[in-house]
Amino acid sequence: MRVMTMFWLLVVLAVSSAYAANLQTYTFDDPSKEALFRELINEIRCPKCQNQTIADSDAPLAKDLRDRTYLMVQEGATKQEVIDYMVARYGDFAYYRPPVQMSTLVLWLGPLVVILGGAGVILWRVRSRSNTDVGLSAEEQAQLAKLSAANAVESTDAANQQAGRNKGNQS
Amino acid sequence: MAQPSKLKWVILAFPLLLFIWLTIFLLRGLFSDPTELSSALVGKPVPAFELPDVYNPEQMHTEAVLKGRPMLLNVWATWCPTCQAEHAYLNKLADEGVYIVGLNYKDDSRAKAVNWLNTLGDPYQVNLFDERGMVAIDFGVYGAPETFLINMNGEVVYRHVGDVNDRVWQQVLGPKYEAEMATYLKQPMETEPASAGGQS
């Protein structure tokens, strides 16, 4: 148990120190620029190691892109300008927030369609169930009355018998 | 149950259709390579740049060397094993008259690059040396090798990620290159073809 804890501690330490090493070399005079830089490198995807941001990735390309982001931010570029720069070169893929357009519509509307579809199915099932719950025909009514009358007689007979037996047991 | 049977069939068929669509969708995903990104530059002119020659640091080339005729722009480096694998094929293509420009991408040293070209052969008409990979970023390069097909107007037509081999050339790059060559050769020959040198 202790070994495992140590192991995970080491893993966390290694990962976080690598992350810190990725950022160490960038110094800013303006804290707002630093904040923008950090925000950007955590939202721009590394094209080389595709499921990491350029902040996470150790790939040389990620470093180049961090350098470029740093330069642009230092020169006073806005967030959108840096994102446009990356998207112009690496495609929409480079930004972790896909834009709303024809090819990405399914991403944005898919969940809504599924929820609406599910709600529709539930509604439809509930409705169709209450629709089938129609009254009995006259013939069926008569049959029901006959059956329940017979049942009543039977059950009183049975109750009487039961009562009689109970009495007998008690005495 | 007063439901019309047609509606019932539609409702019953819906999950089946959904399943078939999902199967096709996932099956396609199985055979596609997510690391092959289509270039954001397709249909756009090549970015402006100024880079030194691999052999001669004094000689500078601009984006003008990528205009004037259809050509391939091959991104390579000596640290890239796949580049070595494709190099023989590039030599073969060059022998067949395919116009290829080389972009050396963040190589360890200029000497290594020159040595590579001297020992393995030089299939490139122009050799660009991008020491810090900054021009490669403008091209959207994210690895090596990558090969861009550029038309006579200096616009990117297609980008291939990975090595150029016989299969890739026969099925993808070759036909596209031939098509660009056909348009190029059809036009009246008043525009001057790109010179191999470029300006200094």
Side-chain angles (χ1 to χ4, degrees), chain B residues 72-102:
Chain B
L72 300 179
L73 174 70
N74 180 246
V75 182
W76 67 281
T78 58
W79 45 257
C80 149
T82 318
C83 301
Q84 189 146 20
E86 78 171 353
H87 200 81
Y89 198 77
L90 293 179
N91 283 334
K92 182 174 168 284
L93 287 180
D95 285 345
E96 287 167 9
V98 176
Y99 192 97
I100 311 174
V101 172

Side-chain angles (χ1 to χ4, degrees), chain A residues 120-134:
Chain A
V121 166
I122 290 173
L123 220 77
W124 175 72
R125 299 231 14 185
V126 166
R127 282 230 180 128
S128 65
R129 191 177 297 166
S130 55
N131 278 350
T132 55
D133 200 25
V134 288

Side-chain angles (χ1 to χ4, degrees), chain B residues 17-96:
Chain B
L17 290 175
L18 198 73
F19 174 76
I20 291 172
W21 174 77
L22 206 68
T23 305
I24 293 170
F25 182 76
L26 294 177
L27 206 67
R28 273 187 51 193
L30 213 56
F31 296 103
S32 79
D33 184 356
T35 61
E36 270 186 33
L37 306 176
S38 75
S39 173
L41 240 58
V42 167
K44 293 188 185 138
V46 294
F49 63 83
E50 194 175 357
L51 283 177
D53 195 81
V54 169
Y55 297 108
N56 178 9
E58 307 294 313
Q59 191 185 1
M60 298 301 283
H61 300 288
T62 67
E63 69 277 10
V65 298
L66 301 179
K67 286 173 188 159
R69 60 157 293 158
M71 66 183 78
L72 300 179
L73 174 70
N74 180 246
V75 182
W76 67 281
T78 58
W79 45 257
C80 149
T82 318
C83 301
Q84 189 146 20
E86 78 171 353
H87 200 81
Y89 198 77
L90 293 179
N91 283 334
K92 182 174 168 284
L93 287 180
D95 285 345
E96 287 167 9

Side-chain angles (χ1 to χ4, degrees), chain A residues 95-115:
Chain A
Y95 187 43
Y96 260 115
R97 208 163 304 183
V100 185
Q101 58 192 34
M102 273 313 281
S103 60
T104 58
L105 220 55
V106 70
L107 288 177
W108 288 95
L109 297 183
L112 195 72
V113 168
V114 170
I115 289 176

Side-chain angles (χ1 to χ4, degrees), chain A residues 14-26 34-67 69-70 86 94 96:
Chain A
V15 168
S16 55
S17 61
Y19 184 84
N22 282 347
L23 298 179
Q24 249 166 20
T25 44
Y26 303 103
E34 180 162 10
L36 175 61
F37 173 73
R38 279 169 191 271
E39 191 181 335
L40 275 165
I41 61 171
N42 280 300
E43 286 184 20
I44 294 168
R45 191 200 303 249
C46 172
K48 187 70 199 169
C49 24
Q50 299 188 348
N51 289 322
Q52 285 185 307
T53 63
I54 59 171
D56 288 336
S57 174
D58 281 330
L61 178 63
K63 188 185 175 300
D64 289 349
L65 294 181
R66 284 197 300 272
D67 288 349
T69 307
Y70 175 74
M86 296 296 172
Y96 260 115

Side-chain angles (χ1 to χ4, degrees), chain A residues 47-48 50 60-61 64-65 67-68 71 85-93 106 124 128 131-132, chain B residues 1 3 11 34-37 40-41 44 105-106 132-134 136-144:
Chain A
K48 187 70 199 169
Q50 299 188 348
L61 178 63
D64 289 349
L65 294 181
D67 288 349
R68 187 53 73 97
L71 279 176
Y85 176 90
M86 296 296 172
V87 168
R89 282 154 185 79
Y90 295 100
D92 292 329
F93 175 84
V106 70
W124 175 72
S128 65
N131 278 350
T132 55
Chain B
M1 274 297 196
Q3 290 285 345
I11 290 164
T35 61
E36 270 186 33
L37 306 176
L41 240 58
K44 293 188 185 138
Y105 172 51
K106 291 183 76 176
R132 296 177 55 221
M134 287 297 151
I137 287 183
D138 285 342
F139 272 95
V141 169
Y142 63 95

